[in-house]
Amino acid sequence: MSTDAGSLDALLTEDRMFPPPPDFAGRSLVTDAEIYTRAAADREAFWSEWAAELHWFEPWTTVLEWEPPYAKWFVGGKLNVSYNCLDRHLDGPKAKQQALIWEGEPGDTRTFTYEELYVEVCAFGNALKGLGVTKGDRVTIYLPMVPEAAIAMLACARIGAIHSVVFGGFSPESLSDRNNDAAAKVLITADGGWRRGGIVPLKANADAALASSPTIEHVVVVRRGGALSDQVDATMLAGRDHWYHELVAAAPSDCEPESMDAEDTLFILYTSGTTGKPKGVVHTTGGYLTQVAATTKLVFDLQEDDVYWCTADVGWITGHSYIVYGPLANGTRVLMYEGAPDTPDRGRFWELCEKYGVTVFYTAPTAIRAFMQWGDDWPAKFDLSRLRLLGTVGEPINPEAWMWYQKAIGGGRCPIVDTWWQTETGAIMITPLPGITATKPGTATRAFPGIDVSIMNDAGDATNAGYLAITSPWPSMLRTVWGDDQRYRDTYWSRWDNVYFPGDGAKIDSDGYLWILGRVDDVLNVAGHRIGTMEVESALVDHPAVAEAAVVGKTHDIKGQSIAAFVTLRDAFPSSDALLTEIRDHVGIKIGAIAKPEMIVFTADLPKTRSGKIMRRLLRDIAEGRAVGDTTTLADPTVVAKLQAMHAEDES
Ligand code: WTA
């Protein structure tokens, strides 16, 4: 857990309360707390009311079949996610309303009305069919933040193909691992994307991955356009590689939506766990869309005139649920931005908020801490008066950052929704409802209506401080780990009987508010991204000079956590700065730049128990520069002293 006991006590005595501002509450969608009691009285009835808001080709016969740990929601129902996000809005004025408003990092723009987005999705759906993609096939999407990322997801959903979006910052090796695990047939990529003024060469990375992705038969390449495409010359392999724009130009623009079973898989999304191998989290159709649509509407209090911006990347679950599916299912205007918040300058996000009149803004604590460090002057230069609601997700937000967000961005008038959820939960689980919940800086407050959470100890007894637990199945829950039911059961359902274990620690305060304390397993949260310590360790020992490695999280002002690695070298390799850089870069090559350790300490030994288990707690203490606790169980007590001495040298 990243939060130490002292600061936790401070959090729990946090007594600043922010009731919903009257102006906001007055026009909010939820004005009565009876929604909680109503949902609790009959959870299944509550969720079926939300499901009924969607368009079904055939109704479901049973709301929930629960054979722990396997749930089926809206059994027998048939629907299509892209139909619900697009076709449904075409009968009325929404057809001509903006659906997707896109801005590239260099300032180029593209917008799509619902009708235009529909045409584009249909055409690309047909293009995929033309490449032989059929229902149930897997399609990898490895794109920058361009409209085609959303279009490709919706096109897969339309024809019943299962998408697996891989974040554009992942390395070729991470990409081929995911291609292979899912046995994907088609890969969709781009010639490149802009990031901090530089070009991310996605097609070149994809080519490197394709050398070891035997299941991929076709590659579709989006031309990013503008100066980028003038500078990058993507090599196209005849027969395998196809330009997106050529396929779409040749494709008919009428594409029947596939009638999908509520429990058909919509997508796989890989996420880090406690082993070296990421898990393919499987989400299905009916329950996923129901909870994603319901939470988008109520948590962000969507109104007809909203312009909604979620700053996540589509490569993460937040991008799936709250850039693409939730907002489009609700027919809102979605802003999508390609680039970094500090390019060309640190006012970029606020410039975009002003330019497009953003009303709802959803970002991550790591970004908020960076903005806070950049100072109040940047947001103060822009007119942010249209903003009415702010959101945060991805890690616990420290009260200071919360207060700053509330004042400097929200002008003191916008409620903040701190939303707790995970790749596995698919949708928001713990959150304020902005029209009725009095918020406190640092807590995600309470479970969304219809969601049952508890805090439990190892024995499964309810307690005020322990592990977060989800005690009933929920519509957007993961259904399994792709190809690995055993891992699904072991990871999430083995700690207690029929209760889901999310891997987070939590406490509850005297108002009944939940305080999420961070991961309790070997998963780090670096700048809001989940990275498994084992994954980084595997990448480190893959380097020929490394004999053994242990990775822990270290508190970081902006990123929340950074990665610290303790590395034992093989005898033939003397330590040097050059080797250190090489090893760090090796992690970037194996996983991606986000996983590169910020600190690497070479050590002759690692502190281990007599049974040979690495004592990470001690390593964490050392990395944090804290006094080291009990070392009596160590096989060799001198290791710690040596390590501390070495670390002190490293820091100086
Ligand atoms: C953490 C991101 C505290 C938590 C949607 C969880 C949070 C992990 C919050 C999931 C929050 C997410 N407060 N912690 N509001 N939101 N987390 O799968 O540790 O990338 O288990 O999903 O992020 O990360 P993931």
Side-chain angles (χ1 to χ4, degrees), residues 156-167:
C156 287
R158 189 159 196 92
I159 66 169
I162 298 170
H163 61 68
S164 158
V165 182
V166 177
F167 172 57

Side-chain angles (χ1 to χ4, degrees), residues 393-396 418-423 504 516 519 525 530:
V393 59
E395 54 179 309
D418 175 355
T419 62
W420 179 92
W421 59 293
Q422 310 179 294
T423 305
D504 279 18
I516 311 295
R519 305 287 310 189
N525 191 327
R530 271 168 74 169

Side-chain angles (χ1 to χ4, degrees), residues 85 289 292-293 296 302 320-332:
C85 290
L289 193 64
V292 160
T296 308
L302 286 185
H320 285 57
S321 302
Y322 297 106
I323 296 178
V324 181
Y325 294 122
L328 295 177
N330 279 287
T332 194

Side-chain angles (χ1 to χ4, degrees), residues 79 83 151 218 251 262-263 352 356 381 434 450 578 586 610 620 628:
L79 75 168
Y83 186 97
I151 292 164
H218 292 282
E263 282 300 327
L352 288 166
Y356 295 105
K381 283 190 194 153
H586 189 71
R610 287 180 201 113
R620 274 195 290 270
V628 170

Side-chain angles (χ1 to χ4, degrees), residues 318-513:
T318 308
H320 285 57
S321 302
Y322 297 106
I323 296 178
V324 181
Y325 294 122
L328 295 177
N330 279 287
T332 194
R333 292 170 198 79
V334 181
L335 175 64
M336 186 177 183
Y337 169 59
E338 176 186 31
D342 53 355
T343 307
D345 63 39
R346 292 171 166 181
R348 187 67 168 119
F349 274 17
W350 319 125
E351 178 201 332
L352 288 166
C353 284
E354 176 183 290
K355 178 172 174 186
Y356 295 105
V358 172
T359 57
V360 178
F361 179 76
Y362 190 30
T363 195
T366 183
I368 299 166
R369 288 190 294 265
F371 300 143
M372 187 163 103
Q373 201 183 62
W374 297 343
D376 296 18
D377 291 352
W378 286 108
K381 283 190 194 153
F382 299 92
D383 177 7
L384 302 180
S385 62
R386 293 279 315 272
L387 283 174
R388 58 179 205 94
L389 178 63
L390 303 175
T392 159
V393 59
E395 54 179 309
I397 180 164
N398 41 313
E400 261 173 286
W402 194 102
M403 289 302 299
W404 183 86
Y405 195 30
Q406 207 251 2
K407 285 204 187 87
I409 307 303
R413 70 181 184 278
C414 306
I416 297 180
V417 285
D418 175 355
T419 62
W420 179 92
W421 59 293
Q422 310 179 294
T423 305
E424 292 86 342
T425 69
I428 292 169
M429 302 290 279
I430 302 176
T431 177
L433 288 178
I436 57 174
T437 312
T439 55
K440 286 190 221 183
T443 159
T445 73
R446 57 185 296 192
F448 188 82
I451 299 296
D452 293 335
V453 305
S454 172
I455 297 176
M456 291 184 169
N457 62 16
D458 277 311
D461 303 318
T463 152
N464 287 336
Y467 305 113
L468 187 64
I470 306 177
T471 52
S472 310
W474 65 101
S476 63
M477 66 189 261
L478 80 165
R479 298 305 196 256
T480 190
V481 171
W482 182 257
D484 199 346
D485 280 343
Q486 188 62 44
R487 193 166 176 198
Y488 169 70
R489 290 193 295 271
D490 291 348
T491 310
Y492 306 108
W493 302 96
S494 61
R495 186 171 289 260
W496 307 294
D497 280 345
N498 305 340
V499 168
Y500 174 86
F501 172 58
D504 279 18
K507 286 207 175 194
I508 192 159
D509 71 13
S510 52
D511 292 316
Y513 281 16

